[in-house]
Amino acid sequence: DFDVTGRALGYLPTPTQEGIEQIYGSRNANQRGSQNLAGLADPAIDALIAQIGKAKSRAELVIVMRALDRVLRTTHSWIPNWHSANHRTAFWDMFGMPDTKPDYWFPIETTWWQDMAKAKALGKG
């Protein structure tokens, strides 16, 4: 039983209907232990979530996700308060990193690896 709780959500670069439904879908509103902590049960939200699965292009998906974002904001059930334009990863000079950082949610293996030349220069290789 709580009034407010902090929660960080990470989304894949291409959100799926199933993933979004787990967090905002009516089916999970009253299910104990579900990710729908706010208990959202709204037919308009469910209809937009269904459209995520029907999107045929990235452009269509972006349109649906923006519409869903606008509807979710009207529920006043969440406050989007955490955002960072940077990825926070730690690295040591014996590791390589990609020239272009990955978008959004990413596995750590895609952001750094041991660079044998750098490790050898540091006496670690």
Side-chain angles (χ1 to χ4, degrees):
D1 210 8
F2 54 87
D3 293 323
V4 175
T5 184
R7 181 178 186 197
L9 294 172
Y11 298 101
L12 296 171
T14 303
T16 64
Q17 177 180 351
E18 294 79 16
I20 299 298
E21 187 174 45
Q22 288 178 6
I23 301 168
Y24 305 112
S26 295
R27 187 173 18 197
N28 295 319
N30 295 312
Q31 187 173 25
R32 189 177 184 101
S34 82
Q35 292 188 47
N36 187 343
L37 294 181
L40 291 172
D42 185 314
I45 292 172
D46 292 337
L48 286 166
I49 291 171
Q51 290 302 310
I52 293 169
K54 295 176 184 174
K56 301 280 189 239
S57 67
R58 183 79 179 175
E60 284 181 33
L61 180 62
V62 168
I63 290 167
V64 174
M65 291 300 295
R66 286 182 176 162
L68 178 61
D69 179 66
R70 287 191 300 272
V71 172
L72 286 169
R73 288 174 189 260
T74 67
T75 67
H76 302 288
S77 60
W78 63 290
I79 302 166
N81 63 336
W82 291 319
H83 172 75
S84 176
N86 301 307
H87 295 306
R88 293 184 178 108
T89 57
F91 64 95
W92 190 15
D93 271 349
M94 67 182 221
F95 297 103
M97 297 188 71
D99 292 331
T100 304
K101 71 179 181 179
D103 291 331
Y104 309 107
W105 203 252
F106 54 90
I108 195 70
E109 309 79 55
T110 64
T111 60
W112 58 289
W113 56 88
Q114 186 169 358
D115 182 314
M116 294 311 290
K118 287 182 178 181
K120 188 173 182 179
L122 291 170
K124 302 288 184 187

